[in-house]
Amino acid sequence: MVIRKCVMRRIGTDDQIGKMKKFLSITLAMSMMLAAMAGCGNASAPVSSQASGGAAATEPAAPAAGDPVRIAVAAPMTGDNAEYGIGFYNAATLMAEKWNAQGGVLGRQIEIVQYDDKNSSEEAASIAQKIVSDGTIAGVIGHFASGVCMVAAPVYQENQIIEISPSSSHPDYSGIGDYIFRNNTVINVEASASLDIAINDLGKKNIGIIAIQTDWGQNTASIVEELIAGEYGESGATIVAREDVMEGSDDYSPAITKLDAAGADVVICCGMYSLVGPVAKQYKQVNPDISIVAFSNAYSQQLIELGGEAVNGVRFPVIFFSGSEDPVIKEYVETYTAQFGSEPSALTSQAYDSTGMLLEAIKAAGATDSAAVKDELYKLNYPGVTGDTQFDEIGDVHKAFVKVEIQDGKFVELT
């Protein structure tokens, strides 16, 4: 069954954007060093390289005509959320290889530059300064968490560097400016899709919420509460309890005990697979009949590996389903799996499409000039593996969800 819901609203006026930039802007001293002569292109240029997240470069180098088109992937490459950042990087690399095999873009090879922000706002701010000071980066794919994205985005906006996040879902993110895009649905829409599963598909009325204590987790849990009071107010469903927990904890039994005592018959998990897996295992020891609904950021093979049999029956809405019979998606999944050893997740696939969209916009602009590429992104209608994608006037996308359930250790699309 496909849920088609669109939210079209203006988030952030020009005045609001200006205030945000004034509040968050970082004064950067930038000096451009003109190349004395154009370098010669190298048809065998690598598609990826690594860059540290240290101090900003003081003398940015201007790209020569034959130099690679460089795209940054900024996301957690180490730490608890490394799987997401590595997935972004792998996806961007795969897309670059695809383009390079056909001659690259603008007659130049494509290079993917990796930045590890450790899913830290402080680290992301440093990396954003480094990227804008570099002078050769054509755009940024990243960051991962909404809170981290919203720290880095004002720096990119102030310096007119395009950022496309494959995962940020905070309603205010894209309103930061016209160089800020997201290839992911706003969390309000996905939260509504998750509640639709819990209330209409599973027929549950007593809803418990367990949420990680991060900006994303707390914001998502609050949105679920607001939707129950508003959009789903006449459904008869109520929030019987909400428990906020530390991300990465091994023991969720105190929260589970409270949720079960409150009479929850379904639990909405506002967290990644690292929350959903352990909660499923520990909750089903207390109540084997509990239903669990998650979000698309939990859609990962790691969830099955972490939760085992306990995650059978977990449902969530996703934009991308790796088991699709669509030949384009099948080819992509097979290629990705052969190269990286696991199937791509929904967020990984959104990073793949984000890279493709940026490259198409560069091709259409005929240059890597950020203003021209940005204008082409707003015009683009991109047929990707995560569906036909077009940015609206504030850089948001609107996509259809597919409902997925884990059955016998496998993801199955529900019809």
Side-chain angles (χ1 to χ4, degrees), residues 106-128:
L106 307 181
R108 297 158 59 185
Q109 292 287 284
I110 300 149
E111 179 183 357
I112 305 300
V113 187
Q114 183 188 85
Y115 291 85
D116 180 11
D117 69 13
K118 302 176 176 62
N119 209 36
S120 158
S121 295
E122 181 178 352
E123 192 72 21
S126 175
I127 282 174

Side-chain angles (χ1 to χ4, degrees), residues 3-9 11 168-171 182 184-197 216 219-220 223-224 226-227 231-232 294-296 316-319 392 396-403:
I3 309 168
R4 298 185 182 275
K5 295 189 179 181
C6 294
V7 174
M8 296 290 290
R9 59 172 181 153
I11 304 172
S168 179
S169 60
H170 193 288
R182 82 169 107 224
N184 190 34
T185 54
V186 180
I187 193 58
N188 306 57
V189 182
E190 187 172 354
S192 181
S194 291
L195 280 172
D196 183 69
I197 292 173
W216 181 87
N219 182 54
T220 300
I223 287 171
V224 171
E226 292 168 6
L227 286 169
E231 180 180 336
Y232 289 90
F295 289 81
S296 59
F316 28 64
V318 298
I319 289 171
D392 66 15
D396 281 345
V397 297
H398 307 283
K399 300 185 179 185
F401 283 104
V402 171
K403 295 175 181 179

